[in-house]
Amino acid sequence: MSGSKCARLSGARVQQLLDSVDSVLFDCDGVIWRGDQAIPGAAQVINLLKEKGKRVFFVTNNSSKTRKMYAEKMSVLGFDVNEEEVFGTAYCSAVYLKTVCKLEGKVYLMGSDAMRQELEAVGIQQTGVGPDHISGKQTDWANVPLDPEVKAVLVGFDAHFSYMKLNRAFQYLTQQDCLFVGTNRDTRLPLEGGKAVPGTGCLLLAVETAAQRQAQTVGKPNHFMFDCVASKFGVDPDRCLMVGDRLDTDILLGSNCGLKTLLTLTGVSTVAEAEAHQQSGCAERQGMVPDFYVESIADLLPALQG
């Protein structure tokens, strides 16, 4: 397909794009749902893509749910999906530690119970889930008891993040052979009504600052997330489309992996932001310019129903 980037996808171009791909990767929040409500028409789009023989996968940086939990949510919302098609950072982090790091030992986990479940599903034991209250004084904190079997620190979204957890992660990471992995660097979690709360990236940066070490992240825009899908299902990047609502994660992942990219405007990023990246003259920012954009993925429906 020819033409300049950041073009509105409409008319005959929709069918041309769909004909050029065999697989489609969708981000979740802001793309196929918002909160607990499906984006109007999203379930029809997903189900029709599958009916027409396209392979559909879901890639999310949210580490608060297991693959099974995501599949159950999608089924309730009307999507035809199974958990094998879902790739969240809770699952991908476990796979990364198991297959790439070949971890032998436990993980100190700053994260959710869903992350614990995904780690244990691949045979990795963890410690750290839940509150860790502070007591004593600074000398006690510096000598906090550590589990000698811990060989990695994994940081995801942790609603129980605390000074003692930060301190404990720091103490583990003073051991140079201790691996350091983060789920993602998203600094904000957008909510309905223009509200937001701090994201995992804030917690990860705190740990990195204390430990004076940088974590390896597995979530978007890191190519490992796509590698998880591609290695399991044989996805050809030349015939794959990434659909997302964030330029700095979804679209950049697509650019990093050589995928076609489609921005939907039902979530975080705007066309104005994409155009600013395009006009910046900065090579790094060009990776955040989508090939196409739509108001909503429901814009694909006419071509799929025709």
Side-chain angles (χ1 to χ4, degrees):
M1 297 182 68
S2 59
S4 62
K5 295 189 75 173
C6 203
R8 185 179 187 114
L9 187 65
S10 60
R13 268 185 155 177
V14 179
Q15 192 61 57
Q16 289 173 3
L17 178 61
L18 293 176
D19 289 344
S20 74
V21 300
D22 304 316
S23 304
V24 187
L25 271 58
F26 286 93
D27 176 48
C28 295
D29 197 14
V31 177
I32 63 171
W33 69 60
R34 294 184 68 168
D36 292 321
Q37 300 293 318
I39 298 285
Q44 286 175 278
V45 169
I46 301 301
N47 299 345
L48 284 169
L49 282 168
K50 288 190 165 190
E51 283 180 27
K52 293 183 177 297
K54 306 296 184 185
R55 294 188 299 176
V56 177
F57 305 99
F58 305 91
V59 287
T60 173
N61 275 358
N62 190 321
S63 62
S64 67
K65 291 183 174 65
T66 63
R67 307 173 89 187
K68 185 172 186 290
M69 292 162 68
Y70 273 116
E72 288 170 350
K73 173 175 180 173
M74 285 187 242
S75 294
V76 168
L77 294 177
F79 295 90
D80 172 18
V81 63
N82 66 70
E83 64 180 280
E84 293 295 304
E85 296 164 333
V86 181
F87 291 80
T89 50
Y91 169 76
C92 291
S93 297
V95 171
Y96 181 80
L97 286 165
K98 187 73 173 181
T99 62
V100 177
C101 301
K102 302 189 184 306
L103 177 69
E104 294 184 6
K106 290 183 183 178
V107 165
Y108 176 64
L109 175 59
M110 295 176 68
S112 62
D113 191 63
M115 293 179 68
R116 175 192 64 78
Q117 292 178 53
E118 295 287 22
L119 285 168
E120 292 181 353
V122 300
I124 297 175
Q125 297 301 305
Q126 60 73 45
T127 181
V129 170
D132 190 358
H133 301 297
I134 199 162
S135 62
K137 50 191 178 183
Q138 290 178 347
T139 52
D140 300 312
W141 308 341
N143 293 286
V144 68
L146 301 178
D147 187 332
E149 294 182 43
V150 166
K151 303 299 179 187
V153 169
L154 173 59
V155 180
F157 183 77
D158 190 343
H160 297 291
F161 183 83
S162 65
Y163 181 84
M164 185 50 75
K165 284 197 165 189
L166 174 62
N167 173 63
R168 206 177 293 271
F170 163 71
Q171 301 301 337
Y172 280 118
L173 289 167
T174 58
Q175 305 164 26
Q176 289 306 306
D177 60 345
C178 184
L179 299 168
F180 187 15
V181 177
T183 57
N184 65 90
R185 296 187 180 277
D186 298 26
T187 55
R188 289 186 175 190
L189 299 178
L191 305 174
E192 292 299 296
K195 299 283 188 178
V197 293
T200 301
C202 301
L203 313 186
L204 182 58
L205 187 58
V207 180
E208 288 181 326
T209 302
Q212 297 183 356
R213 290 177 58 179
Q214 187 165 32
Q216 175 62 48
T217 51
V218 300
K220 299 174 291 185
N222 189 295
H223 65 83
F224 182 75
M225 201 135 199
F226 175 72
D227 293 345
C228 276
V229 183
S231 62
K232 190 164 186 177
F233 291 96
V235 174
D236 178 359
D238 290 333
R239 294 192 59 82
C240 183
L241 172 67
M242 176 70 221
V243 184
D245 69 310
R246 290 184 68 136
L247 300 173
D248 59 342
T249 55
D250 305 320
I251 303 306
L252 188 54
L253 171 75
S255 298
N256 287 343
C257 299
L259 317 180
K260 298 173 179 68
T261 53
L262 175 64
L263 174 71
T264 175
L265 303 179
T266 48
V268 174
S269 297
T270 65
V271 174
E273 290 167 340
E275 290 174 341
H277 289 313
Q278 188 174 32
Q279 295 161 11
S280 68
C282 170
E284 190 173 335
R285 292 177 65 182
Q286 297 306 308
M288 291 186 276
V289 181
D291 294 317
F292 302 99
Y293 71 88
V294 287
E295 290 295 326
S296 160
I297 64 167
D299 292 2
L300 305 180
L301 271 178
L304 290 167
Q305 293 171 329

